[in-house]
Amino acid sequence: MSEAEMQETYSLFPGCIAKNMYPSIEKSTYTVFEKIGVKLLNHRYSCCPAPGVFRGYDRKTHMTLGVRNIVMARQDNVDVMTICNGCYGSLWEANEMFRKSKENQDFVNEKLAKIGLSYDGKTNVLHFVDVLHKHLEDVRNAKEVDLGLKVAVHYGCHYLRPSEKHPDINPESPHVIEDVVEALGCESVDFKNKLSCCGAGGGVWSGAEELGLRVLDEKLKNVRDSGADCIVNICPFCHMHLDQSQGKLEERYKIPVLHLSELTGLAFGIRPKHLAMHTHLISTRDIEKKIKKSKKGSDSEE
Amino acid sequence: MSEAEAKKVEQMEEDPYELEQFHKILEDSKILSCVQCGKCTGGCPAGRQSRIRIRELVHLAHEGHDIKDCKELWLCTTCYNCQERCPKGVDTTEAIISLRNRAIRKGDHNFPEIHTTAITSLRDQADGFPLSPDVESIRSVIGLPKHPHDLAHDPEGLKKFQALMDDLGIVELVMKKQCGEGKPWKYVDIKYKPSVARGTKKEGESNE
């Protein structure tokens, strides 16, 4: 039996933004999954490719480049685990398009053959939050501090929709991220239009910036009204828009934004400095102070 | 775009392949089942903040109008609210994406040209958002390899990837449209400059 079969193992698909802009997300992912006993491998991936641009321009190009990525994991007989809704949506759809149509299989394999690759459709594309959710008990066991934060959960679009991805989840009333943040000792607060878009997708972030900012402004207003300490997301692209575009708005919300892997890392006792939390544009120091306080509280109880 | 301005594909389209493709989009996305209830527009986050009206785009396509020139086509964030909520099962978001594909093939001059930077960046560096020296050093400090184990740092693999992209013709497709038919075009030397900070800028500083 190979090593991969003995331990739960996935190929980590970090995505451009996590590895090239928010290394804190990549770093916390490695640490968190190691602590819950899941092994992550690396493969030579390209951009997923970005669905907002490439799928909108040419679906077949998007599918073929997506499948090329999946083939890298297929060669080691492991499934792909994404930490971004954009990557997840891209690779999941490329995989489905490939699996569902003989014409697409022939098209992709003819292109891939020219660079010495082929694919049989057998690899699955997963989202890290589903893997974390499966390991909720391990998450509770690895937790070193009850964070005690009020968090505004932001699902982002392409984890939930199109809902064919998750037949078991009601896309109008999901309870996946909530379960994880509650396991970390956080309270998930409700807010208006909680499940709506951040405003960055579909090529709008770069192509129609003003619209993206207006949608973001509406979102942040609703989050602020909820009294949450921070936003918790599962998508570095949403994360980037929520964090970095805040400074472009007239209203200064200054709401900290954390990727779920970062939040989990902090609950597992990793020091913010070791996660490079300072790479966030909106300071996370208030959050860190609150966590420190919670930690002191739980230490003195013992 | 008003209905009066919109042209009928049936009368305008000279390319039989494209005419067939247009009908295929209507069929695949089940647009012909639309009853114009407006639920799509009611739940559209972009519609609340801009002039995109999914119901109107679907109506125009349903009536056989060509909406490839509609600027609104590029205002959808592809959030899929409309598609999830459509009581008639119309795949509205998929239709928007297919109509964007058609607009690109037909030479649409309304598409956001800034996207070409993402396309050339993908071909040159295999990433939509390339690594910067600032982040390289941050990666080292927090114990990650300075260079990610990715395609961008695998010269042999990158060459094959570029061959694949060239074979797919995406750069040519988009750049030709950008430069216009009949005009010379080449791999334009656009150095992608993301309008975002990289951990070196302080909060509140301009991101430009």
Side-chain angles (χ1 to χ4, degrees):
Chain A
M1 195 185 273
S2 75
E3 203 184 329
E5 284 166 297
M6 283 161 68
Q7 191 187 2
E8 187 175 340
T9 305
Y10 302 105
S11 172
L12 174 67
F13 192 94
C16 307
I17 299 176
K19 69 185 162 87
N20 293 343
M21 288 173 140
Y22 286 98
S24 48
I25 299 176
E26 187 182 342
K27 167 81 186 206
S28 52
T29 303
Y30 288 126
T31 315
V32 164
F33 280 86
E34 193 189 334
K35 289 205 177 201
I36 62 169
V38 174
K39 191 174 171 184
L40 300 179
L41 304 178
N42 290 123
H43 288 96
R44 296 285 186 188
Y45 289 127
S46 71
C47 170
C48 55
V53 174
F54 293 93
R55 197 161 58 117
Y57 282 48
D58 187 43
R59 279 184 194 271
K60 284 201 162 174
T61 297
H62 180 257
M63 169 180 66
T64 309
L65 297 178
V67 168
R68 193 217 70 95
N69 279 326
I70 298 171
V71 169
M72 299 295 111
R74 177 72 186 105
Q75 290 173 341
D76 278 337
N77 204 16
V78 288
D79 286 340
V80 179
M81 186 185 90
T82 60
I83 51 174
C84 169
N85 289 355
C87 304
Y88 177 59
S90 258
L91 298 176
W92 185 88
E93 188 179 299
N95 215 20
E96 287 307 299
M97 273 179 79
F98 180 91
R99 285 171 171 178
K100 281 183 185 160
S101 147
K102 176 77 173 54
E103 190 192 327
N104 286 343
Q105 288 164 16
D106 293 344
F107 178 86
V108 170
N109 274 326
E110 188 223 308
K111 296 287 177 196
L112 290 182
K114 293 183 195 170
I115 56 166
L117 301 174
S118 71
Y119 184 50
D120 57 9
K122 285 192 178 156
T123 302
N124 296 308
V125 177
L126 309 172
H127 195 292
F128 87 103
V129 73
D130 292 323
V131 182
L132 263 191
H133 196 262
K134 197 173 87 180
H135 285 270
L136 264 191
E137 209 40 52
D138 298 321
V139 168
R140 283 193 196 96
N141 291 336
K143 178 183 64 179
E144 286 189 9
V145 49
D146 271 314
L147 295 175
L149 300 171
K150 283 165 109 181
V151 304
V153 166
H154 174 72
Y155 272 87
C157 302
H158 301 134
Y159 171 75
L160 293 172
R161 299 178 292 265
S163 54
E164 286 87 352
K165 289 186 192 115
H166 292 105
D168 304 335
I169 297 175
N170 176 353
E172 300 284 357
S173 179
H175 213 275
V176 182
I177 309 180
E178 288 85 348
D179 288 347
V180 179
V181 299
E182 280 163 17
L184 301 174
C186 295
E187 178 197 345
S188 160
V189 298
D190 205 6
F191 60 99
K192 192 180 167 190
N193 289 337
K194 175 177 159 182
L195 301 177
S196 80
C197 176
C198 70
V204 167
W205 175 76
S206 58
E209 191 187 15
E210 197 197 327
L211 168 60
L213 292 177
R214 281 170 185 266
V215 176
L216 176 69
D217 192 50
E218 187 188 319
K219 180 111 223 164
L220 294 173
K221 212 169 273 167
N222 292 333
V223 170
R224 185 174 60 188
D225 290 349
S226 76
D229 296 313
C230 63
I231 298 172
V232 174
N233 65 79
I234 53 171
C235 171
F237 193 48
C238 298
H239 181 97
M240 180 177 78
H241 190 49
L242 291 161
D243 180 44
Q244 299 190 341
S245 301
Q246 274 195 49
K248 296 180 183 176
L249 300 173
E250 215 175 280
E251 187 74 37
R252 296 285 170 181
Y253 292 98
K254 297 196 176 179
I255 302 172
V257 181
L258 278 84
H259 189 268
L260 182 62
S261 69
E262 296 174 326
L263 189 81
T264 312
L266 293 174
F268 285 7
I270 310 166
R271 291 173 63 187
K273 210 171 78 181
H274 296 163
L275 288 182
M277 295 297 286
H278 64 280
T279 53
H280 289 212
L281 210 59
I282 302 295
S283 168
T284 56
R285 284 179 82 179
D286 287 348
I287 299 290
E288 291 158 26
K289 273 185 207 157
K290 277 197 179 173
I291 295 173
K292 234 179 178 176
K293 238 176 155 181
S294 303
K295 192 163 193 268
K296 268 187 190 156
S298 61
D299 284 352
S300 62
E301 273 168 33
E302 280 164 15
Chain B
M1 178 181 283
S2 73
E3 202 165 328
E5 288 169 51
K7 293 159 185 158
K8 289 260 191 184
V9 177
E10 205 70 50
Q11 290 147 10
M12 299 300 297
E13 185 59 76
E14 288 166 3
D15 182 343
Y17 171 79
E18 283 299 343
L19 187 60
E20 192 193 316
Q21 287 299 306
F22 182 75
H23 288 298
K24 197 170 179 303
I25 294 170
L26 303 190
E27 200 174 303
D28 288 353
S29 60
K30 303 177 272 292
I31 274 184
L32 298 176
S33 308
C34 173
V35 293
Q36 288 288 297
C37 72
K39 222 176 164 184
C40 46
T41 291
C44 176
R48 284 202 291 277
Q49 305 294 346
S50 75
R51 62 208 162 88
I52 185 174
R53 299 289 178 267
I54 298 293
R55 188 193 62 78
E56 190 189 5
L57 292 178
V58 169
H59 173 66
L60 288 168
H62 183 295
E63 297 299 304
H65 292 293
D66 198 345
I67 58 169
K68 73 176 176 60
D69 298 324
C70 282
K71 286 197 170 83
E72 290 88 337
L73 198 52
W74 301 96
L75 295 181
C76 168
T77 65
T78 68
C79 81
Y80 284 93
N81 267 355
C82 52
Q83 184 165 318
E84 283 297 325
R85 294 172 183 175
C86 177
K88 300 297 285 182
V90 178
D91 289 339
T92 40
T93 314
E94 299 300 343
I96 294 281
I97 293 165
S98 297
L99 288 163
R100 283 183 179 181
N101 276 211
R102 175 178 139 79
I104 290 294
R105 286 198 308 275
K106 293 296 294 175
D108 165 69
H109 294 282
N110 285 321
F111 82 91
E113 285 193 12
I114 191 165
H115 288 173
T116 56
T117 57
I119 292 170
T120 47
S121 167
L122 182 70
R123 189 190 172 276
D124 293 346
Q125 297 162 79
D127 277 336
F129 294 86
L131 187 64
S132 71
D134 291 343
V135 177
E136 271 182 19
S137 60
I138 292 168
R139 289 180 60 90
S140 310
V141 168
I142 60 172
L144 289 171
K146 185 173 153 189
H147 293 145
H149 182 89
D150 58 11
L151 195 59
H153 297 92
D154 170 20
E156 280 308 303
L158 183 60
K159 261 187 216 158
K160 286 185 184 172
F161 175 79
Q162 288 172 339
L164 176 63
M165 264 191 90
D166 291 348
D167 189 23
L168 289 161
I170 179 78
V171 181
E172 186 175 349
L173 173 73
V174 179
M175 292 309 165
K176 248 188 187 167
K177 303 302 176 194
Q178 188 196 21
C179 300
E181 294 290 350
K183 288 181 197 164
W185 68 276
K186 58 185 171 67
Y187 286 105
V188 282
D189 184 27
I190 304 169
K191 286 283 171 257
Y192 187 52
K193 286 184 202 133
S195 61
V196 291
R198 293 288 181 64
T200 50
K201 287 179 184 166
K202 290 187 194 81
E203 196 180 311
E205 262 186 36
S206 166
N207 294 328
E208 297 306 315

